[in-house]
Amino acid sequence: VVQLNAEALSALAYTQVIRKGAPAIYGHYLSTVSMKSGAPMAGTPEISLMNFLIGQMARFYDVPWRTSGGLGGAKTFDAQAGYESAATLSAVIHAGANYIWHAAGWNEAGMHCSVAKFIVDAEQCAMAYRMAEGPRWDDFDEALAAVRDVGPGGHYLGHPHTQENFQRAFFMPEMFDNNSIEQWKAEGEIEITERALKQARKLLSEYEEPKLDAAKNEALLDYIARREREIPAADALNQEF
């Protein structure tokens, strides 16, 4: 953590030397190493402990903090992948990270990306974001009024407050299955990897490339060509120096 802090501060200081007042972010990447093989590891408790410390340092310097979450060393999208990624993502959320990279699809300590895991991780990130928002108090008075309306022995499912707020009251995941086991069996006993891959194929089949205005595209290509003519080649620069 001391080394990471020194590296981050040196980079922050350098940006201010080049351009005083330039916006900057306190960033790092860290991992642990297997003492048995020397292989990089992800998802270990020490990573989370270091992130808690680094989060405190970022707040001490009063700068936004970039880190990594959703890490893991599993080779497939299995229980290990889920446990490790959930642990590391939860840690950086609780540590107060402002900007999180490497939060979806990460496997084998970053050596490959799992498409199925990417889809599920994206939903996990949405849940983490919801948790980071904290409790919502904007409808507190209406909620208390509903308690009085329902009274002892009643239920809230049909109350107007429930009908108006149920979609945002609890996060409703699409990839994570919360149905009864009977319903899950009736729908084909589809496990999460298969559901995620099906969703990935659906997204790919429906993808439409964002269109760039033809005039802007032409202007960008012209700028690239002009700068290629204006900027000396690397060999010429080396000879000059």
mmCIF file of all heavy atoms in Angstrom, residues 69-72 74 77 81 85 102-108 110-122 125:
data_model
loop_
_atom_site.group_PDB
_atom_site.id
_atom_site.type_symbol
_atom_site.label_atom_id
_atom_site.label_comp_id
_atom_site.label_asym_id
_atom_site.label_seq_id
_atom_site.Cartn_x
_atom_site.Cartn_y
_atom_site.Cartn_z
ATOM 1 N N GLY A 69 -12.543 -4.056 -9.295
ATOM 2 C CA GLY A 69 -13.436 -4.923 -8.526
ATOM 3 C C GLY A 69 -13.964 -6.025 -9.411
ATOM 4 O O GLY A 69 -13.813 -5.989 -10.635
ATOM 5 N N GLY A 70 -14.604 -7.020 -8.824
ATOM 6 C CA GLY A 70 -15.106 -8.144 -9.611
ATOM 7 C C GLY A 70 -13.999 -9.062 -10.088
ATOM 8 O O GLY A 70 -14.098 -9.665 -11.159
ATOM 9 N N LEU A 71 -12.924 -9.160 -9.315
ATOM 10 C CA LEU A 71 -11.767 -9.955 -9.724
ATOM 11 C C LEU A 71 -11.939 -11.420 -9.339
ATOM 12 O O LEU A 71 -12.755 -11.770 -8.492
ATOM 13 C CB LEU A 71 -10.501 -9.410 -9.065
ATOM 14 C CG LEU A 71 -10.247 -7.909 -9.228
ATOM 15 C CD1 LEU A 71 -8.975 -7.515 -8.501
ATOM 16 C CD2 LEU A 71 -10.179 -7.532 -10.695
ATOM 17 N N GLY A 72 -11.136 -12.277 -9.956
ATOM 18 C CA GLY A 72 -11.184 -13.697 -9.615
ATOM 19 C C GLY A 72 -10.114 -14.479 -10.338
ATOM 20 O O GLY A 72 -9.619 -14.067 -11.384
ATOM 21 N N ALA A 74 -10.612 -17.932 -10.935
ATOM 22 C CA ALA A 74 -11.207 -19.166 -11.450
ATOM 23 C C ALA A 74 -10.974 -19.290 -12.946
ATOM 24 O O ALA A 74 -10.802 -18.299 -13.651
ATOM 25 C CB ALA A 74 -12.701 -19.197 -11.148
ATOM 26 N N PHE A 77 -16.582 -20.110 -15.340
ATOM 27 C CA PHE A 77 -17.629 -19.366 -14.627
ATOM 28 C C PHE A 77 -18.299 -20.322 -13.641
ATOM 29 O O PHE A 77 -19.354 -20.872 -13.891
ATOM 30 C CB PHE A 77 -18.625 -18.804 -15.637
ATOM 31 C CG PHE A 77 -19.725 -17.986 -14.997
ATOM 32 C CD1 PHE A 77 -19.494 -17.273 -13.828
ATOM 33 C CD2 PHE A 77 -20.967 -17.923 -15.576
ATOM 34 C CE1 PHE A 77 -20.504 -16.526 -13.244
ATOM 35 C CE2 PHE A 77 -21.983 -17.175 -15.004
ATOM 36 C CZ PHE A 77 -21.759 -16.478 -13.833
ATOM 37 N N ALA A 81 -15.533 -18.400 -9.141
ATOM 38 C CA ALA A 81 -15.594 -17.120 -9.854
ATOM 39 C C ALA A 81 -16.589 -16.177 -9.197
ATOM 40 O O ALA A 81 -16.320 -14.983 -9.013
ATOM 41 C CB ALA A 81 -15.972 -17.357 -11.313
ATOM 42 N N SER A 85 -15.361 -12.751 -7.107
ATOM 43 C CA SER A 85 -15.767 -11.482 -7.706
ATOM 44 C C SER A 85 -16.699 -10.705 -6.789
ATOM 45 O O SER A 85 -16.585 -9.486 -6.661
ATOM 46 C CB SER A 85 -16.443 -11.734 -9.057
ATOM 47 O OG SER A 85 -15.527 -12.271 -9.986
ATOM 48 N N HIS A 102 -12.282 -3.331 -14.498
ATOM 49 C CA HIS A 102 -12.121 -4.784 -14.370
ATOM 50 C C HIS A 102 -13.236 -5.377 -13.512
ATOM 51 O O HIS A 102 -13.002 -6.194 -12.633
ATOM 52 C CB HIS A 102 -10.751 -5.138 -13.752
ATOM 53 C CG HIS A 102 -9.597 -4.449 -14.411
ATOM 54 N ND1 HIS A 102 -8.791 -3.570 -13.730
ATOM 55 C CD2 HIS A 102 -9.144 -4.472 -15.679
ATOM 56 C CE1 HIS A 102 -7.863 -3.091 -14.556
ATOM 57 N NE2 HIS A 102 -8.064 -3.626 -15.740
ATOM 58 N N ALA A 103 -14.459 -4.955 -13.778
ATOM 59 C CA ALA A 103 -15.573 -5.364 -12.930
ATOM 60 C C ALA A 103 -16.512 -6.349 -13.627
ATOM 61 O O ALA A 103 -17.537 -6.699 -13.056
ATOM 62 C CB ALA A 103 -16.365 -4.132 -12.477
ATOM 63 N N ALA A 104 -16.191 -6.797 -14.826
ATOM 64 C CA ALA A 104 -17.093 -7.713 -15.526
ATOM 65 C C ALA A 104 -16.304 -8.680 -16.405
ATOM 66 O O ALA A 104 -15.425 -8.262 -17.166
ATOM 67 C CB ALA A 104 -18.094 -6.947 -16.378
ATOM 68 N N GLY A 105 -16.617 -9.962 -16.256
ATOM 69 C CA GLY A 105 -16.035 -10.987 -17.123
ATOM 70 C C GLY A 105 -14.671 -11.493 -16.715
ATOM 71 O O GLY A 105 -14.120 -12.395 -17.340
ATOM 72 N N TRP A 106 -14.101 -10.937 -15.655
ATOM 73 C CA TRP A 106 -12.725 -11.249 -15.254
ATOM 74 C C TRP A 106 -12.610 -12.685 -14.761
ATOM 75 O O TRP A 106 -13.331 -13.118 -13.882
ATOM 76 C CB TRP A 106 -12.323 -10.275 -14.155
ATOM 77 C CG TRP A 106 -10.923 -10.394 -13.649
ATOM 78 C CD1 TRP A 106 -10.430 -11.376 -12.857
ATOM 79 C CD2 TRP A 106 -9.847 -9.493 -13.877
ATOM 80 N NE1 TRP A 106 -9.114 -11.148 -12.569
ATOM 81 C CE2 TRP A 106 -8.725 -9.993 -13.188
ATOM 82 C CE3 TRP A 106 -9.729 -8.300 -14.585
ATOM 83 C CZ2 TRP A 106 -7.506 -9.348 -13.189
ATOM 84 C CZ3 TRP A 106 -8.510 -7.662 -14.588
ATOM 85 C CH2 TRP A 106 -7.411 -8.186 -13.899
ATOM 86 N N ASN A 107 -11.675 -13.421 -15.328
ATOM 87 C CA ASN A 107 -11.354 -14.782 -14.882
ATOM 88 C C ASN A 107 -9.857 -15.029 -15.024
ATOM 89 O O ASN A 107 -9.163 -14.300 -15.723
ATOM 90 C CB ASN A 107 -12.121 -15.823 -15.707
ATOM 91 C CG ASN A 107 -13.266 -16.451 -14.936
ATOM 92 O OD1 ASN A 107 -13.421 -16.242 -13.740
ATOM 93 N ND2 ASN A 107 -14.089 -17.236 -15.613
ATOM 94 N N GLU A 108 -9.379 -16.064 -14.362
ATOM 95 C CA GLU A 108 -7.972 -16.473 -14.432
ATOM 96 C C GLU A 108 -7.050 -15.292 -14.159
ATOM 97 O O GLU A 108 -6.054 -15.084 -14.864
ATOM 98 C CB GLU A 108 -7.669 -17.099 -15.794
ATOM 99 C CG GLU A 108 -6.408 -17.954 -15.815
ATOM 100 C CD GLU A 108 -6.110 -18.512 -17.197
ATOM 101 O OE1 GLU A 108 -6.956 -18.398 -18.098
ATOM 102 O OE2 GLU A 108 -4.998 -19.055 -17.357
ATOM 103 N N GLY A 110 -7.391 -12.277 -14.777
ATOM 104 C CA GLY A 110 -7.322 -11.353 -15.888
ATOM 105 C C GLY A 110 -6.773 -11.924 -17.174
ATOM 106 O O GLY A 110 -6.638 -11.195 -18.165
ATOM 107 N N MET A 111 -6.460 -13.218 -17.201
ATOM 108 C CA MET A 111 -5.895 -13.817 -18.409
ATOM 109 C C MET A 111 -6.935 -14.048 -19.498
ATOM 110 O O MET A 111 -6.615 -14.152 -20.674
ATOM 111 C CB MET A 111 -5.201 -15.136 -18.066
ATOM 112 C CG MET A 111 -4.015 -14.991 -17.137
ATOM 113 S SD MET A 111 -2.712 -13.922 -17.815
ATOM 114 C CE MET A 111 -2.102 -14.938 -19.152
ATOM 115 N N HIS A 112 -8.197 -14.156 -19.112
ATOM 116 C CA HIS A 112 -9.231 -14.278 -20.134
ATOM 117 C C HIS A 112 -10.547 -13.732 -19.614
ATOM 118 O O HIS A 112 -10.733 -13.543 -18.409
ATOM 119 C CB HIS A 112 -9.399 -15.735 -20.601
ATOM 120 C CG HIS A 112 -10.244 -16.577 -19.696
ATOM 121 N ND1 HIS A 112 -9.723 -17.289 -18.635
ATOM 122 C CD2 HIS A 112 -11.585 -16.808 -19.672
ATOM 123 C CE1 HIS A 112 -10.695 -17.925 -18.013
ATOM 124 N NE2 HIS A 112 -11.838 -17.661 -18.618
ATOM 125 N N CYS A 113 -11.453 -13.438 -20.541
ATOM 126 C CA CYS A 113 -12.770 -12.891 -20.205
ATOM 127 C C CYS A 113 -13.841 -13.913 -20.539
ATOM 128 O O CYS A 113 -13.862 -14.470 -21.638
ATOM 129 C CB CYS A 113 -13.012 -11.597 -20.978
ATOM 130 S SG CYS A 113 -14.656 -10.885 -20.695
ATOM 131 N N SER A 114 -14.707 -14.176 -19.580
ATOM 132 C CA SER A 114 -15.845 -15.080 -19.774
ATOM 133 C C SER A 114 -17.056 -14.255 -20.202
ATOM 134 O O SER A 114 -17.468 -13.347 -19.488
ATOM 135 C CB SER A 114 -16.147 -15.837 -18.485
ATOM 136 O OG SER A 114 -17.446 -16.417 -18.523
ATOM 137 N N VAL A 115 -17.619 -14.586 -21.361
ATOM 138 C CA VAL A 115 -18.784 -13.852 -21.851
ATOM 139 C C VAL A 115 -19.968 -14.036 -20.912
ATOM 140 O O VAL A 115 -20.662 -13.080 -20.557
ATOM 141 C CB VAL A 115 -19.144 -14.305 -23.277
ATOM 142 C CG1 VAL A 115 -20.462 -13.665 -23.728
ATOM 143 C CG2 VAL A 115 -18.034 -13.942 -24.244
ATOM 144 N N ALA A 116 -20.200 -15.281 -20.473
ATOM 145 C CA ALA A 116 -21.314 -15.546 -19.555
ATOM 146 C C ALA A 116 -21.120 -14.785 -18.252
ATOM 147 O O ALA A 116 -22.053 -14.161 -17.734
ATOM 148 C CB ALA A 116 -21.427 -17.043 -19.290
ATOM 149 N N LYS A 117 -19.916 -14.809 -17.732
ATOM 150 C CA LYS A 117 -19.642 -14.114 -16.483
ATOM 151 C C LYS A 117 -19.786 -12.601 -16.665
ATOM 152 O O LYS A 117 -20.239 -11.889 -15.754
ATOM 153 C CB LYS A 117 -18.236 -14.450 -15.982
ATOM 154 C CG LYS A 117 -17.910 -13.895 -14.597
ATOM 155 C CD LYS A 117 -16.554 -14.407 -14.118
ATOM 156 C CE LYS A 117 -16.265 -13.918 -12.707
ATOM 157 N NZ LYS A 117 -16.084 -12.451 -12.638
ATOM 158 N N PHE A 118 -19.413 -12.103 -17.833
ATOM 159 C CA PHE A 118 -19.538 -10.671 -18.104
ATOM 160 C C PHE A 118 -20.994 -10.231 -17.970
ATOM 161 O O PHE A 118 -21.288 -9.197 -17.355
ATOM 162 C CB PHE A 118 -19.025 -10.354 -19.507
ATOM 163 C CG PHE A 118 -18.907 -8.890 -19.805
ATOM 164 C CD1 PHE A 118 -17.679 -8.251 -19.731
ATOM 165 C CD2 PHE A 118 -20.024 -8.144 -20.160
ATOM 166 C CE1 PHE A 118 -17.565 -6.887 -19.990
ATOM 167 C CE2 PHE A 118 -19.924 -6.787 -20.420
ATOM 168 C CZ PHE A 118 -18.697 -6.160 -20.339
ATOM 169 N N ILE A 119 -21.908 -11.010 -18.534
ATOM 170 C CA ILE A 119 -23.326 -10.663 -18.475
ATOM 171 C C ILE A 119 -23.816 -10.646 -17.032
ATOM 172 O O ILE A 119 -24.506 -9.707 -16.597
ATOM 173 C CB ILE A 119 -24.152 -11.661 -19.302
ATOM 174 C CG1 ILE A 119 -23.795 -11.559 -20.798
ATOM 175 C CG2 ILE A 119 -25.643 -11.435 -19.090
ATOM 176 C CD1 ILE A 119 -24.169 -10.253 -21.442
ATOM 177 N N VAL A 120 -23.453 -11.670 -16.261
ATOM 178 C CA VAL A 120 -23.904 -11.744 -14.873
ATOM 179 C C VAL A 120 -23.209 -10.686 -14.021
ATOM 180 O O VAL A 120 -23.829 -10.067 -13.145
ATOM 181 C CB VAL A 120 -23.662 -13.154 -14.302
ATOM 182 C CG1 VAL A 120 -24.124 -13.242 -12.852
ATOM 183 C CG2 VAL A 120 -24.396 -14.196 -15.146
ATOM 184 N N ASP A 121 -21.926 -10.461 -14.265
ATOM 185 C CA ASP A 121 -21.203 -9.422 -13.528
ATOM 186 C C ASP A 121 -21.822 -8.049 -13.743
ATOM 187 O O ASP A 121 -21.843 -7.215 -12.824
ATOM 188 C CB ASP A 121 -19.732 -9.388 -13.958
ATOM 189 C CG ASP A 121 -18.908 -10.507 -13.326
ATOM 190 O OD1 ASP A 121 -19.405 -11.122 -12.370
ATOM 191 O OD2 ASP A 121 -17.785 -10.733 -13.793
ATOM 192 N N ALA A 122 -22.304 -7.790 -14.965
ATOM 193 C CA ALA A 122 -22.928 -6.493 -15.241
ATOM 194 C C ALA A 122 -24.141 -6.292 -14.338
ATOM 195 O O ALA A 122 -24.371 -5.188 -13.819
ATOM 196 C CB ALA A 122 -23.332 -6.408 -16.713
ATOM 197 N N CYS A 125 -22.917 -5.602 -10.886
ATOM 198 C CA CYS A 125 -22.485 -4.207 -10.770
ATOM 199 C C CYS A 125 -23.693 -3.294 -10.552
ATOM 200 O O CYS A 125 -23.615 -2.325 -9.782
ATOM 201 C CB CYS A 125 -21.731 -3.776 -12.023
ATOM 202 S SG CYS A 125 -20.068 -4.465 -12.161
#
